[in-house]
Amino acid sequence: MSSKPQKIVMKFGGTSVADIERIRNVAKLVKGEVDSGHQVAVVVSAMSGETNKLVGWTKELSPLHDAREYDTIVAAGEQITAGLLAVALSALGVSARSWLGWQIPIKTSDMHGSARILDIPASQMNERLAQGQVAVVAGFQGIANDNRISTLGRGGSDTSAVALAAALGADRCDIYTDVDGVYTTDPRILVAGKAKRLEKIAFEEMLEMASLGAKVLQTRSVEMAMVHRVPTRVLSTFAPEKGGTLLCDEEDIVEKNPVTGIAYSRDEAKITLLQVADKPGIAAAIFGPLADAGVNVDMIVQNISEDGKTNLTFTVGRAELDRSLAAIEKASPEIGYKKLLSDAKVAKVSVIGIGMRAHPGVAQTMFMTLAEKGINIQVISTSEIKISVLIAEEYVELAVRALHSIYGLDAA
Ligand code: ADP
Ligand code: ASP
Ligand code: MG
């Protein structure tokens, strides 16, 4: 590359650093940027499978473990890769050192397990970068106000990388992963080759895609890129020359198709209360106790019935189902319902696109397509640039394929 020297943050996910050979490969990619004259900070994830193993051990010992100890344990995976990559870089003759969250320090909120980054002091690191030293930063971790190690929620290394890029005033943030960009849908769910890589995606669309289930970027990393205007790219560690996908402003996208992408999430559960009184205060009586129990309620529908009673259905994260049911049962005297039903075998499928604003009929196409496939829609929710439906989990793949095709997203 002959471009003028830049400050770059490169992030490598779990598959990219899965073993020693791959860590060597990452070191070579980093060296390439250093040799081109750039200042480089690298953010690494734990080796693939490592975080799951650590989470598993913690849960095995105690399902109701202390969240601070959870963070102490699960943050360890990134410490190992940061050290290994620093060693691999030194072995290639590149000056490098590892940085753990607390050493920088990446200051976070006290929400252990899903902490938010509050501040990253950049001057010390910028000095080292200017001297030509590569900073190898352990992703996913920080230090909370309580002086304990914190982690940023699963997939959080993306957020570490974008936040670091914002703090350092980097020219760009490159997220290297196991796919060569953001696709029209998860390339793993479509028959080989049908999903298409997007050259560009608007921040708003990527935000919806991520929060509606596309795990290619953690939602908070997209928020951070959008707010701090960090030029962020997603590209493949194994084929970086393919170019990847750039997150950009809506104005930078010339051709605004009605639907840009399709996301799905199996992480859903549905709760229905039968025969609740249709009167003021009922929603508060139901959703108040859920909020107090820390449950995030997503989609909601209420049917009006003639005898003053109504059925109310809503969704929560599948992992929060038991807690939600317990909270509702406890508040049952105040709510007053006839029956409480739940279903954990549901999934949410969403179509997303900024072009939707200008193209009426996107919802109708979605509903008709699902109807033709005999897929029943249980709940619907919409925003300006997305339509989500809740369906039986067994139909997720069928639904995504049919929608991908009807909106003209299939690769030729
Ligand atoms: P990393 O370990 O590098 O952070 P992740 O597994 O977190 O990687 O994210 C990459 C994965 O995201 C891909 O392997 C792919 O299966 C999944 N994914 C889901 N939706 C999409 C999408 N729309 N485009 C690309 N990848 C997607
Ligand atoms: N290692 C962490 C996880 O698996 C963070 C990350 O990979 O982004 O969730
Ligand atoms: Mg990830």
Side-chain angles (χ1 to χ4, degrees), residues 182-185 190 193-199 257 260 404 408-412:
V182 178
Y183 276 69
T184 45
T185 193
L190 274 200
K194 276 241 170 127
K196 274 188 298 203
R197 178 168 63 84
L198 299 161
E199 285 288 319
N257 297 321
T260 303
H404 199 266
L409 300 176
D410 285 355

Side-chain angles (χ1 to χ4, degrees), residues 45-46 51 78 140 154-157:
S45 289
T51 311
E78 273 70 11
F140 185 48
R154 297 306 305 269
S157 297

Side-chain angles (χ1 to χ4, degrees), residues 11 155 158 215-216:
K11 180 258 170 178
D158 297 329
K215 295 204 167 98
V216 60

Side-chain angles (χ1 to χ4, degrees), residues 10 21 101 105 113 133 138 149 171 173 209-210 247 272 284 288 296 302 306 319 344 360 374 386 402-403:
M10 306 169 83
E21 210 32 60
Q133 189 181 63
I149 301 215
D171 296 288
C173 181
M209 290 276 280
L247 308 197
T272 302
N296 243 329
Q302 180 181 338
E306 285 176 2
K386 74 115 204 280
L403 294 169

